[in-house]
Amino acid sequence: MERSEGRESCCTAVTEPSPVTMSNVEPERVDQPKFTMMMRPEYGTSGQEITLLANHLKVSIRRPDEIFYLYNVSVSGTYDEKRTVNIKGIGRKIINKLHETYSSEFAGQKFVYDGEKSLYTVGPLPRNRLEFTVVIEESSAKNASESLSDNGNTNHSSKRSKHSLHSKAFLVEIDYAAKIPLRSVSRALSGADPENVQDALRVLDTILRQQAANRGCLLVRQSFFHDDSRNFTDVGGGVMGCRGFHSSFRPTHGGLTLNMDVSTTMILSPGPVIDFLLANQNVKEPRYIDWTRAKRMLKKLRVKAKHNNREFKITGLSDKPCNQQLFFMKVKNGGSSDNGEETIEITVYEYFTKHRNIELSSSVYMPCLDVGKPNRPNYLPLELCYLVSLQRYTKALSLIQRTSLVEKSRQKPRERIKVLADAVRDYSYDDDPLLAACGISIEKQLIQFNGRVLEAPKLKVGNGEEVSPCNGRWNFKNKHLFTPARIERWAVVNFSARCDTSQLSRELISCGRSKGIHFERPHTLIEEDPQYRRAGAVVRVEQMFEEIVARLPGHPDFLLCVLPERKNSELYGPWKKKSLTELGIVTQCISPLKITDQYLTNVLLKINAKLGGTNSLLAMEHTSHVPLIKDTPTMILGMDVSHGSPGQSDIPSIAAVVGSLYWPLISKYRAEVRSQSPKLEIIESLYKPLPNGNDEGIMRELLVDFYTTSNGRKPAQIIVFRDGVSESQFNQVLNVELDQMIKAYKHLGEDDKPKFTLIVAQKNHHTKLFQANAAENVPPGTVVDTNIVHPRNNDFFMCAHAGMMGTTRPAHYHVLLDEIGFSADVLQKLIYSLSYVYQRSTSATSIVAPVRYAHLAAQQCGQFVKFEDRSETSSEPGSIKTIGCTPVTELPRLHKRVSESMFFC
């Protein structure tokens, strides 16, 4: 039990909290937004009714007039050394100690703390400003039995070997900031738009976080993870999936709810450090461990020492193995009458075996862990150290790890419902004193309501045939593609993959001809020269293209590239960059494990779309009967931004926008892609005026191509689907990105602007839908625009796809602006139909095709940058542009022969 020392609290008596709310605080002056989020005009009625459950729990507020008080928390050193303290990791410990020590100062008031700078109470504290000295005592040792320093002193008298208590004093200042009325939640539920509602919900969510923190959970935003091995799933490489739960309060059309969902984060496998390194590097014996790589991996991880049960943070590894690493140790000189000390030099191994009587075996010839400071290293033998549990792993998972995680964490709908029901029972949210103080109670059953199932659109394929999808799927068995391509001059190249390219080409031609594609025999089959197999990726690609140029009589229509690895091949980036930006050649990369008719059909769908063909059309699109689009030139945009993998803060983000062509069609698209500042979500280059008066932005290219492919018609309506933005960024999409689009349109000499409908499509949310009366996933076409949607904003959930495995996650669509004037039914049917125009597959997509295309284009062009970071040699490094203070590698432009194609399919 920790003890607290220090003077009594120093409280500055000031006036009672003034009756102001957060809205009275003078805001930073900003330009008045041109657009605000639209309200829901109506509810949809089309479709067959279905009874559903959602992972939301109804919340009741019996005391809506309670007021939360916000206080700013500042932690610094004591008065003698008033320095700001980084409270990350220790903030909760300090505040808990403060409440324990000075509870009388708070007049029995409970409070919730966010772990950083904010503290909330129900009702005011006795004073507006309070100051406390809080003393935290930590166990430490004055001797080397705890850890070894190569320049510290170590004494072995029995008295000095005992633990001492090292005290740290902190000055905690608590200052009143604002009132947050709980009533704002009730007003929001009735359809109003009070300023404080997000603040009130943040307080309620913080109460959940504090409750989880008090249980020892790992907190990842609003997801909480217990240290329970039953929740761990090994995915290989020393990494585990840790199952936990997401919990957050949501204002909905049906009232306040608690959204609970199963959540997974990645952690490092707890246990012996040596075992972790063997798994992480996939080696069987310690002698094969790469210690340079191990040092990078272990830095900043927390370990517990077996011999003293103390926790340390790793700062590095020793330069020498345990039996050679020396340090200086002070010992008593027994022969001296004045009990003087002498300093001896001793190895870490000798110290532990001779002076601590701890036998070391496996780590004798390994480096030691350094758990000290840069100028004062402390060494611990590896075999005495265990990785502490619940340490997050934030790097990108390998393909094998991702596959393993998906397979092991997949849950059928009924299984997920049971897991959630058990969690609701175990968490006992109603027992929380702060929620009880607000009169908040939470029901234990999932919310039940009615949704609707829309009818799937009919499709047109070749020879005038019409297809009716069944359960979100269709096929091309004994059918032709709607517009098959002609492939006359092409070749197959094989990068040393184990594949019979001759047989592959014969079967591909046969399958293609059965689908109506005019497919000639390949001009040549090119096998990689064995001498280049061990060369770098760029060299191998350059050499292969030299061979292609030498053996083909002219520019090929298409190249089929066989790669040795199925995913993440280092050849993919250089190959795509060379073919798409320098030579303008359409290519299809494959790495077949088993060649079947279904596999070849899927490959041919991609090839046909890339070469300008059309696999299928919506029947209403074929007859120009798409409501509100058939009579008015309408352009559809899909927008997405792709970011580097976790931990890669220096890799540019890639912004991609796809635009529809050939109005009145809504199935044909082309893409424009740009690089921008790392981790920046708002797209910078929609409108990019140059000093010479030209516009080099994304929108100009797409608008011009729409005009040229639509018989000289300019878009009078533009429907924008934006992916990847959170609710806090909606205003920027409305008033930054939309403003750029309008400027780009007017830059082309137009006085008027088109009508815009702007829709955000989200997949990263925690709402799940279940059938109330069946064990299967909800059927494709399920739409919900009541009960669990926002009480004011125009949003809805849609499951367009068939969930074959696990539990389907609906897409969450937010209609921010609708100048075109869609009815709820027409818009929902259009969005559902746009999930059936994805040319790469024969199944409905979980989110509209334009968004999927934008994601694919950003991902593919992002490979141009990523492979350059990995390679030492590049045929043509990207140019560098500077945005603010961040240099950004500019993407090379696509060759004109492929720029207007669906190269991303």
Side-chain angles (χ1 to χ4, degrees):
M1 186 72 178
E2 294 175 342
R3 294 178 296 127
S4 176
E5 298 177 10
R7 62 187 182 87
E8 292 296 315
S9 66
C10 175
C11 305
T12 306
V14 293
T15 57
E16 289 296 312
S18 54
V20 295
T21 63
M22 189 170 286
S23 60
N24 295 110
V25 179
E26 182 68 18
E28 182 182 350
R29 293 188 178 276
V30 295
D31 293 336
Q32 189 69 23
K34 297 179 183 178
F35 298 99
T36 55
M37 284 180 60
M38 70 176 293
M39 294 177 62
R40 184 189 311 280
E42 60 180 1
Y43 297 95
T45 58
S46 293
Q48 184 178 349
E49 196 171 89
I50 184 173
T51 305
L52 301 172
L53 299 172
N55 56 338
H56 288 239
L57 309 169
K58 190 171 180 58
V59 177
S60 301
I61 305 177
R62 294 189 304 276
R63 299 176 191 166
D65 294 322
E66 291 290 353
I67 295 176
F68 295 117
Y69 283 71
L70 166 64
Y71 294 86
N72 292 331
V73 177
S74 172
V75 179
S76 60
T78 52
Y79 295 96
D80 297 333
E81 44 164 347
K82 204 156 187 177
R83 53 185 171 76
T84 302
V85 173
N86 181 6
I87 59 173
K88 187 175 180 181
I90 62 168
R92 292 187 188 278
K93 188 175 183 179
I94 293 171
I95 297 302
N96 287 343
K97 189 66 178 178
L98 182 152
H99 192 269
E100 174 192 324
T101 308
Y102 300 108
S103 57
S104 61
E105 297 282 351
F106 296 99
Q109 182 75 270
K110 301 284 186 183
F111 53 70
V112 60
Y113 173 58
D114 72 350
E116 296 181 4
K117 296 182 178 180
S118 298
L119 183 145
Y120 306 95
T121 63
V122 180
L125 293 176
R127 298 174 179 82
N128 277 13
R129 179 178 177 81
L130 301 109
E131 293 183 1
F132 303 94
T133 296
V134 177
V135 178
I136 301 294
E137 293 172 344
E138 296 179 345
S139 176
S140 64
K142 302 260 184 176
N143 61 39
S145 66
E146 306 306 319
S147 54
L148 306 177
S149 172
D150 66 355
N151 61 352
N153 56 16
T154 304
N155 190 299
H156 277 275
S157 68
S158 59
K159 282 185 179 180
R160 303 274 311 263
S161 67
K162 292 181 180 178
H163 289 210
S164 66
L165 290 173
H166 178 64
S167 300
K168 289 185 179 179
F170 300 94
L171 176 64
V172 180
E173 298 171 292
I174 300 176
D175 294 293
Y176 166 76
K179 290 181 182 179
I180 304 172
L182 185 57
R183 173 67 66 181
S184 62
V185 175
S186 302
R187 291 182 59 218
L189 295 174
S190 63
D193 188 22
E195 295 183 18
N196 298 99
V197 63
Q198 291 303 323
D199 300 314
L201 293 172
R202 187 179 302 112
V203 178
L204 296 178
D205 285 345
T206 303
I207 293 173
L208 301 182
R209 283 176 58 84
Q210 177 166 285
Q211 188 184 89
N214 291 340
R215 295 183 179 202
C217 293
L218 168 66
L219 309 183
V220 183
R221 292 178 292 278
Q222 284 301 125
S223 293
F224 317 130
F225 304 91
H226 289 269
D227 187 8
D228 186 342
S229 59
R230 292 173 298 179
N231 297 331
F232 298 166
T233 301
D234 189 1
V235 299
V239 179
M240 288 185 161
C242 179
R243 191 182 73 185
F245 296 94
H246 167 91
S247 300
S248 64
F249 288 94
R250 305 287 299 179
T252 71
H253 174 255
L256 186 65
T257 66
L258 178 68
N259 179 204
M260 278 199 74
D261 191 23
V262 177
S263 184
T264 301
T265 194
M266 308 314 299
I267 62 171
L268 297 170
S269 301
V273 174
I274 294 177
D275 292 352
F276 166 75
L277 290 175
L278 293 174
N280 181 249
Q281 298 191 15
N282 194 26
V283 294
K284 293 184 178 180
E285 298 179 29
R287 58 181 172 154
Y288 298 120
I289 292 175
D290 180 341
W291 292 106
T292 302
R293 182 179 162 194
K295 183 177 181 180
R296 288 196 305 268
M297 185 68 234
L298 293 173
K299 193 170 184 180
K300 296 185 179 180
L301 298 186
R302 302 190 317 276
V303 292
K304 183 167 279 189
K306 182 168 64 174
H307 65 290
N308 58 24
N309 208 35
R310 285 190 61 209
E311 195 172 303
F312 301 92
K313 181 180 284 188
I314 300 172
T315 56
L317 295 177
S318 62
D319 296 330
K320 297 178 180 179
C322 182
N323 64 341
Q324 297 179 27
Q325 183 63 51
L326 297 166
F327 72 98
F328 291 103
M329 182 175 73
K330 289 182 180 179
V331 295
K332 281 189 176 182
N333 187 345
S336 174
S337 58
D338 58 357
N339 287 330
E341 294 180 342
E342 66 174 333
T343 300
I344 64 171
E345 197 171 28
I346 189 173
T347 66
V348 176
Y349 172 76
E350 186 181 0
Y351 168 76
F352 274 94
T353 54
K354 292 186 177 179
H355 297 271
R356 295 286 295 157
N357 295 321
I358 297 174
E359 192 65 36
L360 300 179
S361 56
S362 60
S363 64
V364 177
Y365 302 103
M366 302 181 197
C368 300
L369 292 182
D370 182 359
V371 296
K373 296 179 180 179
N375 59 348
R376 189 183 176 88
N378 291 335
Y379 299 121
L380 290 173
L382 267 172
E383 64 186 275
L384 298 183
C385 298
Y386 290 73
L387 282 179
V388 174
S389 190
L390 296 183
Q391 297 191 73
R392 283 191 75 199
Y393 180 78
T394 57
K395 297 180 182 178
L397 296 179
S398 67
L399 174 64
I400 295 174
Q401 288 173 322
R402 285 200 307 272
T403 303
S404 175
L405 177 65
V406 169
E407 289 177 352
K408 293 177 180 178
S409 60
R410 188 181 292 139
Q411 290 177 317
K412 286 289 187 182
R414 289 295 155 189
E415 182 186 354
R416 185 173 285 255
I417 289 175
K418 183 181 184 306
V419 169
L420 289 174
D422 292 343
V424 171
R425 183 191 65 242
D426 295 341
Y427 270 64
S428 304
Y429 285 123
D430 286 348
D431 296 340
D432 187 277
L434 279 161
L435 292 180
C438 303
I440 290 178
S441 59
I442 302 167
E443 292 188 3
K444 303 295 189 290
Q445 298 82 28
L446 301 187
I447 221 164
Q448 181 171 315
F449 54 94
N450 289 331
R452 294 172 288 117
V453 181
L454 303 181
E455 184 181 357
K458 290 181 170 55
L459 303 175
K460 278 286 186 180
V461 294
N463 295 331
E465 287 189 75
E466 195 168 88
V467 175
S468 297
C470 179
N471 196 30
R473 295 176 175 272
W474 64 101
N475 62 64
F476 279 98
K477 189 174 183 179
N478 302 321
K479 295 181 180 66
H480 280 196
L481 305 180
F482 182 80
T483 309
R486 293 181 64 88
I487 304 176
E488 296 175 344
R489 184 184 297 161
W490 68 290
V492 182
V493 299
N494 181 16
F495 280 99
S496 302
R498 294 181 179 178
C499 178
D500 184 342
T501 54
S502 179
Q503 180 188 354
L504 171 65
S505 64
R506 287 195 301 272
E507 294 191 23
L508 187 67
I509 290 169
S510 175
C511 186
R513 288 174 177 171
S514 72
K515 303 293 182 285
I517 296 176
H518 180 86
F519 225 141
E520 297 292 343
R521 293 179 61 188
H523 189 275
T524 184
L525 307 176
I526 304 175
E527 298 288 335
E528 183 179 32
D529 190 330
Q531 67 175 316
Y532 292 106
R533 288 181 185 175
R534 295 188 178 275
V538 175
V539 173
R540 294 174 70 183
V541 168
E542 291 287 348
Q543 192 62 36
M544 183 64 81
F545 271 108
E546 286 182 17
E547 189 73 16
I548 292 168
V549 171
R551 292 173 62 172
L552 284 176
H555 189 274
D557 298 329
F558 158 71
L559 292 175
L560 183 67
C561 174
V562 185
L563 297 175
E565 296 94 11
R566 234 179 121 213
K567 293 278 187 179
N568 300 324
S569 171
E570 62 176 7
L571 294 162
Y572 184 82
W575 173 264
K576 284 294 183 181
K577 182 184 177 186
K578 183 79 175 178
S579 60
L580 293 176
T581 66
E582 295 183 34
L583 301 175
I585 302 174
V586 171
T587 68
Q588 177 63 48
C589 294
I590 63 172
S591 182
L593 296 177
K594 186 179 180 182
I595 299 173
T596 64
D597 185 69
Q598 182 62 54
Y599 176 82
L600 294 172
T601 299
N602 290 340
V603 171
L604 284 165
L605 292 178
K606 299 176 185 179
I607 294 171
N608 192 56
K610 289 177 180 180
L611 291 174
T614 304
N615 300 328
S616 62
L617 281 182
L618 296 169
M620 63 176 175
E621 178 185 13
H622 177 58
T623 55
S624 298
H625 280 88
V626 182
L628 289 185
I629 292 177
K630 60 185 175 67
D631 298 322
T632 308
T634 304
M635 183 180 188
I636 300 178
L637 301 177
M639 304 166 61
D640 190 24
V641 178
S642 175
H643 305 290
S645 300
Q648 296 179 315
S649 58
D650 56 338
I651 290 184
S653 292
I654 308 297
V657 182
V658 301
S660 62
L661 305 172
Y662 302 99
W663 173 82
L665 298 185
I666 58 175
S667 293
K668 303 283 284 186
Y669 294 84
R670 64 148 298 188
E672 279 291 319
V673 187
R674 302 283 192 277
S675 59
Q676 60 183 40
S677 302
K679 307 302 180 185
L680 178 66
E681 186 56 53
I682 298 302
I683 300 176
E684 296 177 314
S685 303
L686 292 170
Y687 174 61
K688 192 175 179 182
L690 300 176
N692 61 8
N694 293 334
D695 174 18
E696 201 182 44
I698 290 172
M699 280 300 297
R700 181 191 182 279
E701 305 291 335
L702 298 177
L703 288 166
V704 169
D705 280 350
F706 178 90
Y707 177 83
T708 56
T709 62
S710 303
N711 297 318
R713 302 293 298 271
K714 303 167 186 175
Q717 301 177 155
I718 299 180
I719 304 171
V720 182
F721 290 97
R722 181 64 161 94
D723 186 31
V725 291
S726 63
E727 293 176 26
S728 63
Q729 296 167 315
F730 286 178
N731 187 57
Q732 287 177 283
V733 172
L734 265 174
N735 290 289
V736 177
E737 291 185 345
L738 181 55
D739 183 59
Q740 286 190 55
M741 288 185 256
I742 294 171
K743 287 178 178 177
Y745 187 87
K746 290 187 173 182
H747 190 274
L748 292 172
E750 301 299 317
D751 293 328
D752 297 329
K753 73 175 184 69
K755 292 180 179 179
F756 281 89
T757 292
L758 181 52
I759 304 165
V760 170
Q762 290 181 331
K763 285 291 285 181
N764 291 328
H765 59 83
H766 287 278
T767 293
K768 301 290 192 301
L769 301 177
F770 310 92
Q771 292 197 62
N773 304 314
E776 298 81 20
N777 273 306
V778 297
T782 299
V783 63
V784 175
D785 61 1
T786 59
N787 289 83
I788 59 171
V789 295
H790 195 277
R792 179 179 186 274
N793 300 339
N794 190 10
D795 68 320
F796 60 91
F797 293 94
M798 180 179 286
C799 274
H801 64 301
M804 308 306 289
M805 296 178 290
T807 303
T808 54
R809 176 185 298 180
H812 192 184
Y813 292 101
H814 303 259
V815 186
L816 306 188
L817 178 72
D818 183 22
E819 295 177 331
I820 297 174
F822 286 99
S823 69
D825 283 331
V826 169
L827 184 59
Q828 289 167 11
K829 286 179 181 177
L830 173 63
I831 288 175
Y832 186 39
S833 297
L834 284 170
S835 297
Y836 281 81
V837 303
Y838 191 57
Q839 298 295 304
R840 282 167 52 107
S841 70
T842 54
S843 60
T845 53
S846 61
I847 207 157
V848 289
V851 163
R852 292 289 293 268
Y853 288 148
H855 181 73
L856 287 172
Q859 206 171 38
Q860 191 167 126
C861 292
Q863 295 290 330
F864 300 170
V865 178
K866 289 179 182 177
F867 91 80
E868 286 178 355
D869 291 338
R870 292 194 297 261
S871 63
E872 296 179 359
T873 309
S874 178
S875 60
E876 186 182 339
S879 60
I880 302 295
K881 64 179 179 180
T882 301
I883 299 175
C885 300
T886 307
V888 176
T889 303
E890 193 164 3
L891 287 178
R893 293 299 178 89
L894 297 175
H895 194 283
K896 62 181 180 180
R897 277 196 289 258
V898 296
S899 62
E900 296 178 19
S901 72
M902 294 179 70
F903 68 89
F904 42 82
C905 269

